[in-house]
Amino acid sequence: MIFDLDKSKEILGRTPEVLETLLHGLSKEWILNNEGQNTWSPYEIVGHLIFGEITDWIVRIQTILSESVNKLFEPFDRFAQLNEDQNRPIGDLIKEFKSLREKNLNELELLNITQKDFDRVGIHPEFGNVTLKQLISTWAVHDLGHIAQITRVMAKQYTKEVGPWINYLGILKK
Amino acid sequence: MIFDLDKSKEILGRTPEVLETLLHGLSKEWILNNEGQNTWSPYEIVGHLIFGEITDWIVRIQTILSESVNKLFEPFDRFAQLNEDQNRPIGDLIKEFKSLREKNLNELELLNITQKDFDRVGIHPEFGNVTLKQLISTWAVHDLGHIAQITRVMAKQYTKEVGPWINYLGILKK
């Protein structure tokens, strides 16, 4: 599949609602348990998605499209959410993520991106030159990856309870 | 996390809505593409979930709880969906899954399962004795595994488009 801005927005636009249907009203074990030491709970993953909306994706898109000669991205703190208040209800976090994502997709709209912008570049602190289309593709894949991660973390809470069926449940072995 | 019937139903009850928010109105590439030869598209995964509702989960639960002495489960055809009409819109499939799941959760309710039933057994054609709580846990984990699989299949459509970010996107390497 070739990069397509509208098809990327199909993914980006629905992620808040997917998280809401996946997580609203769940018992705390499904939300707060993780996969073991140094792994994230669904709660922490939503926190990570919030930081991405604030500090990463749209900021980098603006860097690429700006007239500034400085195209170097700020490094993204992928662990920032671990220092946040862990007592906010998950519903609040999802609401915050939803509102940030809406705001960012509106900003994306205002940038009037056209095909000729797709190959404009920014400088990633680790990878060097990256293009706008790589960045927007990554934004969408990053959403999908974290939805998959959330369902995997939830599934693993029942690893012992499924008994011999673990042999058919690849998700419990990842 | 220890098996809990209500907490299992929290997962089972929301899966149709999760699939709907994840898949409704998407372009066909997100729905119909797969991960390569002999792998399933999101469309086929929804078809597989439908067959599970018709032939597997609730039928096996009833076998375990019935007075019959024959506790042997029928093997589950995990590929049945591949022989189905592939032209039905995905929305129809999701609607069918939703209605089957509701019916099956109603039947589950009518069975009035209590803690003393959790360790009652059926005979799996491959694993031998399995308990009711292992079966219901597996039903929930099976849902979560296939949601993760759907998002992974979707993510992989952009494997080439993310460029160097593939290094940070574990989901593209699974």
Side-chain angles (χ1 to χ4, degrees), chain B residues 32-47:
Chain B
L32 298 180
N33 290 3
N34 62 21
E35 297 173 277
Q37 218 180 357
N38 295 322
T39 65
W40 295 352
S41 65
Y43 186 95
E44 288 161 340
I45 295 165
V46 175

Side-chain angles (χ1 to χ4, degrees), chain A residues 3 8 11-12 49 56-57 60-61 76 101 124 127 130-146, chain B residues 30 155 158-169 171-172:
Chain A
F3 173 77
S8 305
I11 305 299
L12 293 167
L49 288 167
D56 188 343
W57 307 107
R60 292 178 168 192
I61 291 170
F76 176 38
R101 175 57 61 87
H124 186 280
F127 306 137
V130 287
T131 65
L132 181 64
K133 73 180 180 187
Q134 289 170 343
L135 176 57
I136 297 174
S137 302
T138 300
W139 192 7
V141 170
H142 182 264
D143 275 14
L144 293 167
H146 283 300
Chain B
W30 294 124
Y158 264 0
T159 301
K160 286 196 180 137
E161 297 300 327
V162 301
W165 267 291
I166 193 169
N167 295 295
Y168 279 168
L169 296 165
I171 193 164
L172 301 180

Side-chain angles (χ1 to χ4, degrees), chain B residues 4-168:
Chain B
D4 180 286
L5 183 58
D6 287 332
K7 287 174 189 162
S8 306
K9 288 193 281 189
E10 288 177 13
I11 304 298
L12 294 167
R14 74 186 54 216
T15 300
E17 206 192 343
V18 172
L19 293 176
E20 201 184 329
T21 54
L22 193 57
L23 299 173
H24 77 91
L26 282 178
S27 294
K28 65 177 194 312
E29 292 95 327
W30 294 124
I31 300 284
L32 298 180
N33 290 3
N34 62 21
E35 297 173 277
Q37 218 180 357
N38 295 322
T39 65
W40 295 352
S41 65
Y43 186 95
E44 288 161 340
I45 295 165
V46 175
H48 166 75
L49 288 167
I50 288 173
F51 272 91
E53 293 306 300
I54 298 171
T55 66
D56 188 343
W57 308 107
I58 198 76
V59 180
R60 291 178 169 192
I61 290 169
Q62 285 162 335
T63 299
I64 290 177
L65 295 173
S66 78
E67 298 305 313
S68 159
V69 290
N70 180 9
K71 298 292 180 193
L72 184 63
F73 300 155
E74 293 283 326
F76 175 40
D77 180 356
R78 290 186 286 158
F79 303 97
Q81 70 280 2
L82 304 180
N83 303 320
E84 288 297 292
D85 172 10
Q86 306 290 313
N87 295 311
R88 288 177 65 198
I90 183 91
D92 277 17
L93 268 69
I94 294 172
K95 212 178 283 177
E96 182 180 356
F97 174 66
K98 185 176 186 158
S99 121
L100 288 164
R101 176 58 59 90
E102 276 171 13
K103 186 172 82 54
N104 288 339
L105 289 181
N106 284 338
E107 299 220 10
L108 190 69
E109 217 56 52
L110 294 173
L111 290 167
N112 284 315
I113 293 169
T114 61
Q115 190 120 19
K116 66 177 184 4
D117 297 314
F118 290 175
D119 291 320
R120 291 177 68 177
V121 297
I123 302 168
H124 186 280
E126 183 179 339
F127 306 137
N129 278 7
V130 287
T131 65
L132 180 65
K133 72 180 179 187
Q134 289 169 343
L135 176 57
I136 297 174
S137 302
T138 300
W139 193 6
V141 171
H142 182 264
D143 275 14
L144 293 167
H146 283 299
I147 295 167
Q149 181 188 12
I150 286 172
T151 54
R152 185 185 70 226
V153 176
M154 290 166 69
K156 284 196 180 171
Q157 305 313 315
Y158 264 0
T159 301
K160 286 196 180 137
E161 297 300 327
V162 301
W165 267 291
I166 193 169
N167 295 295
Y168 279 168

Side-chain angles (χ1 to χ4, degrees), chain A residues 75-139:
Chain A
F76 176 38
D77 181 356
R78 289 186 286 157
F79 303 96
Q81 69 281 1
L82 305 180
N83 304 319
E84 288 297 292
D85 172 10
Q86 306 290 313
N87 294 311
R88 289 176 64 198
I90 182 92
D92 277 17
L93 269 69
I94 294 172
K95 213 178 282 177
E96 182 181 355
F97 174 65
K98 185 176 186 159
S99 122
L100 288 165
R101 175 57 61 87
E102 276 171 14
K103 185 172 83 55
N104 288 337
L105 289 181
N106 284 338
E107 299 220 12
L108 190 68
E109 217 56 53
L110 294 174
L111 290 167
N112 284 315
I113 293 169
T114 61
Q115 189 121 19
K116 67 177 183 5
D117 297 313
F118 290 175
D119 290 320
R120 291 177 69 177
V121 297
I123 303 168
H124 186 280
E126 184 180 338
F127 306 137
N129 277 7
V130 287
T131 65
L132 181 64
K133 73 180 180 187
Q134 289 170 343
L135 176 57
I136 297 174
S137 302
T138 300
W139 192 7

